[in-house]
Amino acid sequence: MSAGADKKFVPVEMTKLQAGMLVDRPLHIFLPANQRYILMVNAFQPLEPRVLDKLKHFGQVFSTEPELDERYPQLAEAARSVRALCDDPEIAPFEKNRSLRGISSWIIDCVLGTSRDDYAPLFFFHRAFGVPKPETLLYVADFSVDAYERGLRLAAVSGLLALWLGYSDTGYLMQLAETVFCAELRGTNLAVPGVDAADFRFRQTGRGDELAELVELAQWIVMRVPGARLPATRVARKIERQFRQHFAVSQAAA
Amino acid sequence: MSNALLAAVNKIKFGVEELLEPDAQVFFENIFSTRHIGRVVDFMLFQCQPFLKASQDPAYTEYRFRHMIELAIFNAWANYRTGERSRVVELEFGWDKQRLVISASHIGAEGIGGFVPGAEPANEVSIRMQKMLTQVQALADGLIVRHDPVSGRVQAIAFLAADETEKLAETQYLDLSQLPAVQQTLEPDASVPEELSNGDIEAFMADENAAPEAAAPIEDDVTIAGGGAEPDTTETRIKGSAPEAELETRISGSSAIGQDKTKIVIGGGGDKFGEDKTKTVISGGGSVGPNKEVMQVKRLDAGAGAAGGSNKREQLLMEKLKVMSEQINALKAEKAGGNMTLSSVEAAGPTGDSGVASKREQLLTDQKKVMGEQIVTLNEQLNTLRSEKNGLQVALSESNRNAAEAFSKAAAEDDKDSDEVVKIRDEIEKEKGVPEKAKAMVQGLLEATTKERGDLKQRAREIDAMLRRRDYEYKTKESGFVEQLRLMEGMIKQRESALEKSKEAATNLSAIIEKHRVESSSATDTAEMTHKLATADKLLQAEKENTDRVQKRCDDIQKKLSEEVSARGTAQLDSAKFKKLADDLQRKVNQFQEAGQKGSSTDLLNITDARDKAVRQVEQLKQQNRELQTKLLANAPTKSSANSKDGAKNSPAQSEAELKHKLELADKLAKASKEELDKTKKRFDEVKVAENKLRGELSKVQADLIKAQAELKAAGIRSAGAAAAAAKTTPPPKPGTKPKT
């Protein structure tokens, strides 16, 4: 219960709010009669249409956090460049991978390093590839809050790891992220809106599938204690090799 | 060595680095399109130049490598499982001093089997794969195919060996489904460089020259232990506790208000006002320890702020304490009502009173009853919460502002409640006179109550989740139906508008038809048509008469011409005869003159008489010839007059043109009325038939005329030329032209 005495509320542009979007900062409304700020939507949650209607009804929206682009000035450009590279059919895979690692190297520390940050990888991947789609977000959030939050982070980290491992195809990455995001709904046999066909090529965890290992490593990263070191899986070693090659080339070029 | 290779390959998890020395160079590439295969192969060749140069024949080794890798890639690409949204061929290649190894993995097509060289292929895809792998085997020093029929993954591993003894004579096939599945190894303190793990790239690269510890083969016999690290217990919450249930109830904000007055939840967010940075969640696992099935993660909205863990813990404890204090309070109230306390029972215990045991049992029975009542009450509370939830949702939909104010009021009550909780806690803490056994019993009962309550909450939560799902499905279906309805309405509107338009068009048409009917049925039009028809009949009759007249005249002319021709022929013959006689006479005269000059005067007289006689005869013949010519000249004016009479055809032609124009107009009118005027049509048809008849007759007449002209020409009479000229002035109608009416 805060009247906003110890927090600084900044106004949020209503035009940037869209139904189904992934909210990147908590959104509040202000009650003049009570002189209170009421939390309407938390960060990482999908903005439901009815909540958006409420926000529009109040006219003004506030947040305690600055805009995402202010926190991560390179995020927007990096996401755009990564998407452009993945979509470019002219570039050979090894050239593409080198560029992708260069563009996304600033996010390594947020994912693999000690400064664990949920915002950067999640919003980076979501902005770059637009998955999960708004309808999928809303559906899974309605189904289970826990599955939603776990799946969101897991999908983003899995996607980033796959990107660093050289899976630099837009369609492939999107399908992977969507499948990981909806993995917990598999047992329900429900058709998930916004997901055409799930790709379970990597579900054979115990059969040596690389993507299965990758998702498992992403799971470990998501659930680990901050500061814990990476495990020595084959996938982790591959990532290490990829970055070693990438930075060796960069250093040689420098 | 071959056995060692096979042993290294014969495991579920495998990478080419396991066939190489620890300091080997290993590269990974994924190919999503065949477009860049050439460049990728060039890149690989560039990378493995040291190995190629060290070989005995670098050019041949390069040739083998290039073709080997290309065939392996094409084999993987062409025989990929169908139906996948995207294909990927995973390439690995590396080398050391001993060997250069390449590996191409893909998901094989359905139903493949026996595709290695020498085996019996199961289908066409297998035959294709076998051909390609045979070529790879021919180029490589060894080929190992790993196939997992369960997942469909096929991995072709080919190598070039520096040592002749390492060569594999035959392709080795490994069926991975025969191997037991293993769990993934995740050792938290393993040997991935700390610098990379910490995100310190500079330090990571500074350590580049150090021997990579990660090159050691991965053990497959260690189970994932969730990282092995203890989860942050300050960020977790035990399953079944009341606050967790409240946290997980995302939409039913009213229940949270009802249960925990320290929070305000706005419907739709599941968010607690003022607590957005401190919430934690545990899902499903039921234990604090790491769980592979379900992760225990810090709630996302905790953001980067990991600080404040102690506050969270305090808050959790406070919430638990509050629940316990509520339960104890309820028990205290019951105790006061029954005039029998557990403490008094406990106090009576040591005295050895015989009625104590029965009283204790009675008390326990009472307690059980009370617990049952509490459960019932809790159920009622749950129902109340649901009704409150619905009411709150309705209230929210009615007025956000009112709801928010209600929330703020509730928040104010929360503060009061928290004070009460503190008071109750203090009271309980001060109550030191309660015996330990009674406390333990109460504690046990409370725990049982809490457990049952937790179960109930769990059920309620499940029901709530089910309700939400149903609600979502209902909404989805409803929206689908609404959409369908909207589409149907749109279609109906479109059809209605189309119907209206067609009705309007029909009305217009009927009006036009009616108009035409009225016009056509009017007397004037009928009279006009009758008049036109009569005029046409008259004109046709006149034309027919003219044609007859012309025909008759032509016959007369032909007759006269033939007579004249015969007369002329006779005259020509006569004149020729007379000319001959005249010539003879002239010759005789000349002879007589010559003889007269020599002969007697009597002879001269005789000759002179004969000459005079002949001259007279010549004069008579000349006279006759002149008469004939006069007669011929007298016939010429009659021909020219006949020609002038032929020219009279022009006037009927003009009238015909006018009639044609009028008929065309009539035709247009008839077309405009769209043949709805049956009578007019019938008449028109009759007129048409009559026209056709007339046209036929006219054409016959014209043909006869042309024939007569041709005969005249054939006769070679000059008058025929005049007749032809007359015919040219009135050209006959061409066959096929529109009949003139």
Side-chain angles (χ1 to χ4, degrees):
Chain A
M1 181 68 56
S2 170
D6 56 340
K7 290 179 181 174
K8 188 182 177 184
F9 288 89
V10 291
V12 177
E13 281 185 49
M14 286 293 289
T15 52
K16 289 186 178 178
L17 300 178
Q18 291 174 350
M21 70 177 283
L22 194 61
V23 177
D24 58 356
R25 50 183 169 162
L27 300 178
H28 300 258
I29 55 166
F30 181 65
L31 302 178
N34 305 75
Q35 290 296 304
R36 283 174 189 274
Y37 287 93
I38 306 291
L39 178 68
M40 295 296 285
V41 193
N42 235 322
F44 289 104
Q45 298 295 324
L47 184 55
E48 296 182 35
R50 59 193 179 89
V51 178
L52 181 63
D53 291 341
K54 282 181 192 174
L55 296 177
K56 283 179 180 171
H57 175 74
F58 277 88
Q60 276 190 317
V61 183
F62 300 90
S63 180
T64 52
E65 303 284 338
E67 205 172 354
L68 195 68
D69 290 334
E70 288 179 27
R71 276 180 283 173
Y72 305 101
Q74 65 273 62
L75 189 139
E77 178 59 25
R80 191 196 59 75
S81 305
V82 163
R83 181 59 187 267
L85 271 170
C86 286
D87 286 344
D88 195 343
E90 299 293 332
I91 309 172
F94 55 90
E95 296 168 329
K96 197 182 277 189
N97 293 334
R98 194 186 304 149
S99 304
L100 286 171
R101 286 173 205 132
I103 292 167
S104 59
S105 60
W106 63 274
I107 213 168
I108 293 172
D109 193 40
C110 302
V111 180
L112 304 174
T114 50
S115 64
R116 180 172 153 186
D117 189 344
D118 296 326
Y119 279 84
L122 202 154
F123 284 102
F124 173 75
F125 195 79
H126 189 262
R127 280 205 183 177
F129 297 102
V131 286
K133 296 186 184 79
E135 56 267 35
T136 315
L137 287 174
L138 289 170
Y139 179 80
V140 179
D142 272 344
F143 185 82
S144 165
V145 179
D146 289 338
Y148 170 81
E149 294 183 348
R150 273 196 300 274
L152 204 58
R153 289 186 64 187
L154 191 59
V157 174
S158 301
L160 267 174
L161 292 180
L163 196 69
W164 289 334
L165 269 178
Y167 293 92
S168 52
D169 181 69
T170 303
Y172 198 82
L173 285 170
M174 286 170 75
Q175 197 178 13
L176 171 71
E178 281 175 350
T179 308
V180 172
F181 181 61
C182 304
E184 286 191 36
L185 275 68
R186 254 186 287 170
T188 60
N189 291 324
L190 293 173
V192 182
V195 179
D196 296 332
D199 182 1
F200 292 123
R201 274 179 281 187
F202 57 86
R203 65 181 160 185
Q204 298 287 336
T205 314
R207 311 301 309 180
D209 288 354
E210 184 172 280
L211 283 175
E213 286 183 41
L214 183 143
V215 174
E216 214 154 56
L217 178 67
Q219 225 171 32
W220 187 88
I221 289 169
V222 167
M223 65 192 281
R224 72 180 166 149
V225 179
R229 293 173 60 191
L230 275 180
T233 61
R234 188 166 168 273
V235 168
R237 216 164 61 232
K238 275 183 77 171
I239 292 173
E240 176 218 346
R241 282 182 187 277
Q242 302 280 36
F243 276 108
R244 193 179 287 283
Q245 286 164 17
H246 165 68
F247 288 110
V249 171
S250 305
Q251 279 195 347
Chain B
M1 190 58 198
S2 299
N3 289 335
L5 279 176
L6 290 174
V9 171
N10 193 14
K11 56 174 73 171
I12 286 287
K13 295 178 189 302
F14 169 76
V16 295
E17 69 269 22
E18 293 178 39
L19 297 177
L20 301 168
E21 297 294 326
D23 60 345
Q25 295 283 321
V26 182
F27 290 87
F28 310 96
E29 286 296 336
N30 295 317
I31 293 180
F32 291 91
S33 146
T34 53
R35 189 172 184 170
H36 303 292
I37 288 175
R39 293 181 69 189
V40 170
V41 173
D42 287 343
F43 173 71
M44 291 164 79
L45 277 167
F46 172 75
Q47 293 293 342
C48 64
Q49 280 299 313
F51 180 86
L52 297 176
K53 283 176 183 171
S55 63
Q56 289 180 349
D57 188 349
Y60 181 57
T61 310
E62 182 181 332
Y63 163 79
R64 288 166 70 198
F65 175 79
R66 181 182 285 277
H67 283 270
M68 208 166 72
I69 189 75
E70 281 178 354
L71 280 166
I73 292 169
F74 279 118
N75 171 52
W77 189 265
N79 302 309
Y80 207 91
R81 185 164 65 196
T82 52
E84 296 292 350
R85 198 157 65 175
S86 58
R87 298 185 208 178
V88 56
V89 179
E90 295 163 17
L91 287 179
E92 293 182 29
F93 72 105
W95 71 94
D96 58 10
K97 290 176 183 174
Q98 298 299 319
R99 62 189 78 88
L100 184 150
V101 187
I102 60 161
S103 156
S105 300
H106 75 286
I107 305 293
E110 301 285 346
I112 55 168
F115 50 81
V116 291
E120 201 63 36
N123 51 19
E124 285 189 6
V125 179
S126 305
I127 293 169
R128 208 164 54 213
M129 286 179 76
Q130 194 181 54
K131 283 179 184 172
M132 287 187 166
L133 290 173
T134 307
Q135 291 180 48
V136 174
Q137 188 195 20
L139 291 162
D141 288 332
L143 173 65
I144 303 166
V145 178
R146 288 159 47 86
H147 179 218
D148 187 357
V150 179
S151 63
R153 184 169 292 275
V154 179
Q155 187 177 17
I157 303 155
F159 64 87
L160 299 173
D163 189 356
E164 291 287 326
T165 58
E166 278 197 344
K167 289 184 179 177
L168 293 172
E170 292 180 352
T171 301
Q172 301 296 318
Y173 175 76
L174 297 172
D175 185 354
L176 301 183
S177 64
Q178 304 298 321
L179 299 173
V182 295
Q183 297 294 331
Q184 174 66 30
T185 301
L186 286 180
E187 295 173 357
D189 296 324
S191 54
V192 166
E194 189 178 0
E195 298 81 15
L196 179 64
S197 186
N198 293 338
D200 188 353
I201 304 302
E202 293 299 325
F204 170 67
M205 288 313 300
D207 194 33
E208 188 188 359
N209 295 327
E213 298 170 65
I218 300 166
E219 297 297 330
D220 290 333
D221 54 353
V222 184
T223 307
I224 287 179
E230 288 298 322
D232 187 358
T233 51
T234 64
E235 296 180 356
T236 58
R237 195 175 282 172
I238 297 168
K239 181 187 176 185
S241 66
E244 181 207 353
E246 288 154 13
L247 279 174
E248 290 219 349
T249 307
R250 185 166 171 273
I251 295 175
S252 58
S254 59
S255 64
I257 289 173
Q259 287 294 308
D260 187 355
K261 298 284 183 175
T262 62
K263 304 174 191 68
I264 283 181
V265 179
I266 300 287
D271 312 310
K272 294 185 290 301
F273 179 71
E275 292 186 344
D276 54 308
K277 290 287 181 185
T278 59
K279 280 190 296 186
T280 54
V281 169
I282 277 188
S283 67
S287 66
V288 181
N291 187 342
K292 191 186 167 195
E293 295 297 324
V294 182
M295 292 182 302
Q296 298 171 345
V297 296
K298 189 177 75 170
R299 199 175 176 93
L300 287 173
D301 52 13
S310 58
N311 289 336
K312 289 178 203 167
R313 185 181 291 174
E314 279 176 14
Q315 193 185 352
L316 283 171
L317 289 172
M318 283 291 288
E319 286 169 359
K320 286 179 189 170
L321 192 60
K322 184 198 143 200
V323 175
M324 297 230 359
S325 62
E326 281 175 1
Q327 300 288 346
I328 290 165
N329 210 15
L331 282 172
K332 277 168 71 181
E334 285 169 14
K335 275 194 290 184
N339 290 325
M340 179 63 76
T341 61
L342 282 171
S343 57
S344 65
V345 173
E346 283 295 319
T351 60
D353 191 355
S354 59
V356 169
S358 61
K359 282 179 185 173
R360 191 178 290 167
E361 283 175 3
Q362 192 181 351
L363 265 177
L364 285 171
T365 314
D366 292 342
Q367 289 294 336
K368 280 182 183 174
K369 283 181 184 174
V370 169
M371 297 307 292
E373 287 170 3
Q374 280 182 346
I375 289 164
V376 172
T377 313
L378 284 171
N379 279 328
E380 287 172 359
Q381 279 180 353
L382 273 174
N383 292 330
T384 315
L385 289 175
R386 286 194 180 167
S387 61
E388 280 179 8
K389 170 192 160 188
N390 294 331
L392 188 64
Q393 282 177 343
V394 170
L396 278 170
S397 63
E398 286 174 356
S399 168
N400 289 316
R401 192 176 293 277
N402 291 336
E405 285 174 1
F407 291 144
S408 65
K409 283 177 186 173
E413 287 174 9
D414 287 348
D415 295 337
K416 288 177 188 175
D417 285 348
S418 61
D419 293 336
E420 284 175 11
V421 169
V422 172
K423 279 179 188 175
I424 291 163
R425 187 183 62 182
D426 292 336
E427 281 177 12
I428 292 163
E429 282 175 355
K430 284 172 187 173
E431 197 176 0
K432 293 175 181 175
V434 181
E436 289 299 322
K437 284 185 179 177
K439 277 185 180 177
M441 190 182 69
V442 171
Q443 192 67 29
L445 288 169
L446 283 172
E447 281 177 4
T449 313
T450 311
K451 195 177 177 183
E452 285 182 12
R453 190 169 171 269
D455 290 343
L456 283 171
K457 287 270 184 182
Q458 178 69 22
R459 280 185 205 168
R461 205 168 49 207
E462 285 170 0
I463 290 165
D464 196 50
M466 191 181 72
L467 281 171
R468 270 186 285 154
R469 273 200 296 275
R470 293 264 169 88
D471 189 46
Y472 178 80
E473 286 171 11
Y474 167 73
K475 279 179 183 172
T476 312
K477 283 181 182 174
E478 190 189 13
S479 59
F481 285 137
V482 167
E483 184 65 19
Q484 280 183 1
L485 201 64
R486 198 178 60 76
L487 288 171
M488 291 290 287
E489 280 179 357
M491 283 171 66
I492 288 165
K493 279 181 183 174
Q494 282 180 356
R495 285 182 184 175
E496 279 178 356
S497 63
L499 256 172
E500 283 176 5
K501 282 181 183 175
S502 58
K503 276 181 182 175
E504 282 178 12
T507 313
N508 290 335
L509 268 174
S510 59
I512 290 165
I513 289 163
E514 193 63 29
K515 194 179 172 185
H516 283 302
R517 271 182 189 167
V518 169
E519 285 175 359
S520 60
S521 61
S522 64
T524 52
D525 195 40
T526 313
E528 261 182 38
M529 291 300 293
T530 316
H531 177 68
K532 281 175 186 172
L533 281 169
T535 314
D537 287 339
K538 280 178 186 173
L539 286 168
L540 283 168
Q541 194 64 32
E543 183 67 20
K544 198 177 176 183
E545 285 170 3
N546 277 333
T547 312
D548 292 339
R549 232 180 289 140
V550 168
Q551 181 69 29
K552 200 176 176 181
R553 202 175 295 149
C554 281
D555 292 340
D556 293 342
I557 290 163
Q558 199 173 353
K559 199 177 175 182
K560 283 178 182 174
L561 275 172
S562 57
E563 285 172 359
E564 283 175 10
V565 163
S566 59
R568 190 168 181 172
T570 311
Q572 279 176 346
L573 286 172
D574 290 343
S575 63
K577 203 187 282 178
F578 289 138
K579 197 177 179 182
K580 197 178 177 182
L581 283 171
D583 291 337
D584 289 340
L585 286 170
Q586 187 67 35
R587 194 172 56 248
K588 283 177 181 177
V589 167
N590 291 334
Q591 284 175 357
F592 283 131
Q593 281 178 352
E594 286 174 1
Q597 287 173 359
K598 296 175 183 175
S600 60
S601 59
T602 53
D603 292 334
L604 184 63
L605 287 172
N606 289 332
I607 290 167
T608 306
D609 291 337
R611 191 191 66 181
D612 294 337
K613 194 179 176 182
V615 168
R616 279 195 301 271
Q617 281 179 350
V618 168
E619 287 296 326
Q620 282 175 356
L621 285 170
K622 280 182 180 178
Q623 184 65 34
Q624 283 176 358
N625 196 17
R626 236 178 273 124
E627 283 174 1
L628 279 171
Q629 280 179 350
T630 310
K631 279 180 183 176
L632 275 171
L633 286 171
N635 283 330
T638 55
K639 284 173 191 171
S640 64
S641 65
N643 289 339
S644 64
K645 281 176 183 174
D646 289 340
K649 279 183 184 177
N650 291 332
S651 57
Q654 284 172 1
S655 62
E656 277 174 11
E658 284 174 7
L659 281 171
K660 186 182 173 185
H661 180 66
K662 283 177 182 177
L663 268 176
E664 279 174 357
L665 284 173
D667 207 352
K668 281 179 186 176
L669 283 170
K671 280 179 184 175
S673 61
K674 295 188 177 180
E675 300 172 357
E676 290 176 2
L677 306 173
D678 296 333
K679 291 177 184 177
T680 311
K681 191 181 176 184
K682 282 177 185 174
R683 286 178 190 171
F684 188 67
D685 289 339
E686 287 169 4
V687 169
K688 267 191 172 179
V689 171
E691 277 174 13
N692 289 332
K693 281 180 183 174
L694 287 171
R695 201 195 299 171
E697 288 174 1
L698 190 63
S699 59
K700 275 182 187 175
V701 170
Q702 284 169 352
D704 291 340
L705 188 62
I706 289 162
K707 200 177 174 183
Q709 285 171 357
E711 284 174 1
L712 282 172
K713 278 181 183 176
I717 300 171
R718 286 177 190 171
S719 60
K728 277 178 187 174
T729 53
T730 54
K734 290 177 185 176
T737 52
K738 209 166 180 183
K740 295 172 185 178
T741 55

